[in-house]
Amino acid sequence: MQIERVPLPGIGVGYTVHTSEGQLLGVICHRGGRRDLVLYAPGDPDTVERSLSLSPAEAQEVAELLHPVATVDHVTHLERHPEAISVAELPVTAASPYDGRPLADAIARTGGVTVIAVLRAGRTITAPGDGHVLAHGDVLVAAGTQEGIGGLSRLLALADP
């Protein structure tokens, strides 16, 4: 599947994807957080057949339905400590502002989290360095406090960091 990203000056960013059934679907990410879902007319990528606007909260809920933000696997003996440690898989989506940016940019804005691996195209990159460049489709395997994991998950999904 190919996702096309187009900057929309003064508006935000637009994304389009061709589905396996030949439909053209668009998502317009407005700077204020609103998301517009757009279905284009068959054979005419300039004609909008239907659209739906979602508030930032609605867009987040729909995104979590389509792809869970994090899967948390608990290490039970560590949960006995006052500051419980969790392990989570955090996807880097096509809409992530950290797609194409170094891991250090995302980690610097969160506390209590260590990225222990990056899953990319069937490979596991263990102990990625701060200079590791994130890409759409990567899955970060992170360990840390639940608060830190949640913060990194939200940061990876923000429209404008």
Side-chain angles (χ1 to χ4, degrees):
M1 175 186 310
Q2 180 177 340
I3 297 174
E4 296 179 29
R5 181 187 330 196
V6 177
L8 302 172
I11 296 171
V13 180
Y15 299 89
T16 57
V17 62
H18 290 270
T19 69
S20 61
E21 295 181 3
Q23 297 172 307
L24 183 60
L25 174 68
V27 177
I28 299 172
C29 302
H30 294 264
R31 292 181 186 265
R34 188 181 95 218
R35 302 289 192 258
D36 294 339
L37 301 178
V38 179
L39 183 60
Y40 295 95
D44 185 0
D46 295 325
T47 301
V48 174
E49 195 170 74
R50 295 202 182 276
S51 67
L52 173 69
S53 291
L54 300 172
S55 70
E58 292 167 335
Q60 182 65 38
E61 291 295 322
V62 170
E64 289 179 15
L65 287 172
L66 295 173
H67 187 7
V69 175
T71 303
V72 178
D73 296 319
H74 296 277
V75 182
T76 57
H77 73 279
L78 293 176
E79 292 178 348
R80 295 185 202 124
H81 297 282
E83 189 79 19
I85 296 176
S86 295
V87 176
E89 294 182 355
L90 308 173
V92 178
T93 66
S96 175
Y98 292 93
D99 179 11
R101 292 176 56 187
L103 176 61
D105 288 0
I107 296 300
R109 298 193 53 196
T110 61
V113 178
T114 300
V115 174
I116 56 178
V118 174
L119 309 176
R120 176 182 285 170
R123 294 187 0 246
T124 300
I125 302 163
T126 57
D130 288 346
H132 177 84
V133 177
L134 300 175
H136 163 237
D138 284 356
V139 176
L140 306 183
V141 179
T145 63
Q146 289 183 356
E147 180 181 343
I149 295 281
L152 180 56
S153 176
R154 287 186 296 277
L155 189 66
L156 289 172
L158 286 176
D160 293 311

